[in-house]
Amino acid sequence: MNAARFHKQWVLSALLLGSVVATANASTQLVLSRNAEVPTTEYKGVVEVTVDPGFDDARVAVAVDGQRIADALPSPYKLTVDFGPTAVEHKISVTATGAGKHRVQWHETINRGHLPLSVKVKPVDLVAHIFEATTTAPADDPVEVVELWDAGKLVVDAKEPPYRFTIPPDVIASGFVEVTARAKSGDEAADFWSSAGDVHVEQIQVRTVPIFVSVVDRDGVTHDDVDRSLFRVLDNGSEAKIIEFGKAFNQPISIALLVDASASMTYSIDRATKAAQEFVSHTLKKGDRCSVFAVQDVPRRKQALTDDSALVAKALEGITPQGRTALYDAVESAIRELKDEQNRRAIVVLTDGGDTSSIDSYDDVKKAATTAGIPLYFIAYDTGSDTSIKDIEYLKNLAVETGGFVATATASDLRAKYHEIENDLRAQFVIRYQVTDYAKPNQWRAIRVLVASPKLTARTIRGYFAP
């Protein structure tokens, strides 16, 4: 469960020595031979590697720590490898093949005993909520601090071994503990413990689950450059196996666009609809679909799902404010509109207040939203009308449950808030994972996605009902 941090990952690369630049930069040499031991030299940075296969006309393959870096390398069997800035232990495998069935393979270890930065957390006394973290680190880059995190927030730290923590009751109640170790250089590693890890499974089924994930930093800035290796998925408390990973932007999306058109929006509707039109024109691409709803005393669908942006623009232009705000009913209508869509989906809502006239309750729409697994994005627009803290909290809860967020906006920054949603949709990752667990139809399955960095937080749906 350990992972290198996103901001400092060394890249293992190999270049044939035909490159003058590569040869010039390689100041250290390493000879790999079946008949000789590797010297105890510390190998780091760019190293010139020569392989002696023991026979002529061989084709040589080299792998470092399981990663193939050279294949069918011809004589004189030379390459350069960047082992990173710090001397850490690496396992090298060499395979040489010749004419007929002639094939030899051997393994070497360099920098033996120079362990990489890692951390492992485990319970010492579950009844007393005591956990301990053990670490390894390069000799010249020791661990400075081990930190306990909860939902992206630092809880407590320890600067001297043994790195022992008494877990607060609210953290242990979640059944999940995450720690990070930071070295003197600033490099970090992470590990987590889940209370579901030792669950005994008697009847199993294997399923795959697709989810869309957004990653943000502490300032709320969306990131689309996070490496796959840093993601972990917990399904119903157990770690799942990620089998597909990629950026979601190239996948088509269907968006339900909801605009508050109650009487309180009379003096703001022109600005609101123009900002929504701009959002649509910037966000939608070929193959995407959009529908438009006016949020009034009852939901009024102005445009069914279409890939025609001109029809969407016309529907927005035709919205006239009147009546009260059936916000929950409108969200329910949008969920039904998108329920059977095979595309990536999102509901984007602009409102200047809470619900005032829906038949559906908050609990009704919360259940429908979490069951559908469609992210809800809200823009809470300040028109001068009274919006209670409770109303905003309801919107935030709905957004958090579904993987969206709430942005508060004024007339001066409304377009910018739509742009934040656009950026979030553009930067989403698509993850398909495999889970082996209890075969219980209609069981609620909680989802938690982790990024191995305390600086980053993943947003996605909170869970789903098993089929």
Side-chain angles (χ1 to χ4, degrees):
M1 300 180 190
N2 298 326
R5 318 311 286 172
F6 78 102
H7 60 291
K8 274 197 176 183
Q9 295 187 67
W10 64 273
V11 178
L12 187 63
S13 61
L15 301 171
L16 296 181
L17 279 186
S19 167
V20 175
V21 175
T23 304
N25 289 339
S27 58
T28 306
Q29 295 188 346
L30 168 63
V31 177
L32 302 174
S33 173
R34 292 179 61 204
N35 303 315
E37 293 185 359
V38 172
T40 57
T41 304
E42 288 189 359
Y43 296 97
K44 60 183 178 180
V46 178
V47 176
E48 178 185 320
V49 179
T50 302
V51 178
D52 178 8
F55 58 91
D56 296 331
D57 300 323
R59 288 293 184 268
V60 172
V62 180
V64 177
D65 299 331
Q67 179 183 345
R68 184 69 65 91
I69 62 170
D71 201 359
L73 187 68
S75 178
Y77 316 118
K78 292 186 177 182
L79 65 157
T80 57
V81 180
D82 185 351
F83 287 109
T86 305
V88 297
E89 186 174 287
H90 298 293
K91 297 185 183 302
I92 305 175
S93 299
V94 180
T95 304
T97 56
K101 296 182 179 180
H102 195 182
R103 182 177 185 273
V104 295
Q105 185 179 53
W106 74 96
H107 308 279
E108 305 282 3
T109 300
I110 63 170
N111 303 328
R112 190 181 296 274
H114 292 249
L115 298 177
L117 178 65
S118 70
V119 61
K120 180 70 176 178
V121 64
K122 64 179 181 179
V124 175
D125 186 341
L126 272 177
V127 175
H129 304 169
I130 299 174
F131 282 71
E132 184 172 297
T134 56
T135 65
T136 65
D140 57 353
D141 192 18
V143 171
E144 283 198 331
V145 63
V146 176
E147 299 170 324
L148 171 70
W149 295 83
D150 180 44
K153 296 181 180 179
L154 177 63
V155 178
V156 67
D157 63 28
K159 294 182 172 62
E160 297 289 342
Y163 304 106
R164 188 164 286 194
F165 305 93
T166 299
I167 308 297
D170 56 334
V171 176
I172 199 69
S174 70
F176 181 83
V177 174
E178 180 183 15
V179 298
T180 62
R182 187 170 69 248
K184 184 178 180 180
S185 67
D187 281 351
E188 294 177 298
D191 188 41
F192 67 84
W193 170 90
S194 170
S195 60
D198 298 325
V199 172
H200 176 62
V201 179
E202 296 178 350
Q203 182 183 9
I204 64 171
Q205 64 176 6
V206 178
R207 294 173 290 104
T208 61
V209 181
I211 55 174
F212 296 98
V213 181
S214 300
V215 178
V216 296
D217 61 23
R218 293 171 183 172
D219 297 322
V221 177
T222 303
H223 289 259
D224 64 355
D225 57 350
V226 186
D227 190 79
R228 169 179 175 156
S229 65
L230 301 186
F231 285 86
R232 298 289 186 273
V233 178
L234 296 183
D235 184 297
N236 211 37
S238 298
E239 185 170 10
K241 179 182 179 182
I242 296 176
I243 57 176
E244 293 181 19
F245 177 89
K247 293 186 178 181
F249 179 65
N250 290 329
Q251 296 192 9
I253 189 169
S254 295
I255 295 176
L257 193 60
L258 280 58
V259 177
D260 190 336
S262 59
S264 61
M265 287 288 293
T266 299
Y267 299 106
S268 303
I269 196 66
D270 287 345
R271 184 178 291 108
T273 54
K274 287 178 181 177
Q277 288 178 38
E278 190 175 291
F279 166 75
V280 169
S281 65
H282 287 174
T283 304
L284 300 187
K285 57 187 185 303
K286 186 177 180 180
D288 294 342
R289 285 152 59 86
C290 185
S291 62
V292 179
F293 289 82
V295 183
Q296 298 177 331
D297 48 357
V298 294
R300 303 181 187 277
R301 190 177 69 177
K302 297 296 185 178
Q303 175 59 55
L305 279 168
T306 180
D307 59 3
D308 189 333
S309 57
L311 291 178
V312 174
K314 184 177 179 180
L316 288 167
E317 291 171 358
I319 294 177
T320 302
Q322 61 178 1
R324 304 177 72 188
T325 310
L327 181 62
Y328 298 153
D329 288 350
V331 172
E332 283 264 25
S333 296
I335 291 172
R336 289 193 296 271
E337 178 92 346
L338 298 179
K339 184 178 180 181
D340 297 324
E341 282 290 284
Q342 298 303 306
N343 292 349
R344 190 161 53 111
R345 302 169 298 172
I347 297 173
V348 180
V349 185
L350 180 142
T351 181
D352 72 340
D355 189 283
T356 59
S357 65
S358 283
I359 296 174
D360 290 316
S361 67
Y362 166 77
D363 290 334
D364 291 333
V365 75
K366 180 179 179 180
K367 182 178 180 180
T370 52
T371 301
I374 304 172
L376 289 168
Y377 296 89
F378 292 97
I379 297 178
Y381 186 46
D382 182 8
T383 59
S385 60
D386 292 332
T387 302
S388 70
I389 295 176
K390 183 178 179 181
D391 289 335
I392 296 296
E393 287 303 311
Y394 277 176
L395 299 185
K396 287 181 178 179
N397 288 338
L398 289 173
V400 167
E401 290 291 333
T402 60
F405 61 80
V406 175
T408 56
T410 62
S412 62
D413 64 1
L414 179 57
R415 283 184 171 86
K417 300 304 178 179
Y418 269 115
H419 187 59
E420 288 180 13
I421 297 173
E422 176 193 347
N423 286 342
D424 196 80
L425 294 174
R426 286 179 180 273
Q428 280 183 332
F429 297 92
V430 58
I431 295 176
R432 184 178 293 274
Y433 64 87
Q434 184 181 81
V435 61
T436 303
D437 209 338
Y438 294 106
K440 292 184 178 180
N442 300 317
Q443 177 192 38
W444 174 252
R445 313 274 304 189
I447 294 176
R448 184 165 183 171
V449 178
L450 306 166
V451 181
S453 171
K455 300 176 178 67
L456 299 176
T457 301
R459 284 201 322 268
T460 190
I461 58 174
R462 284 292 184 92
Y464 65 97
F465 288 97

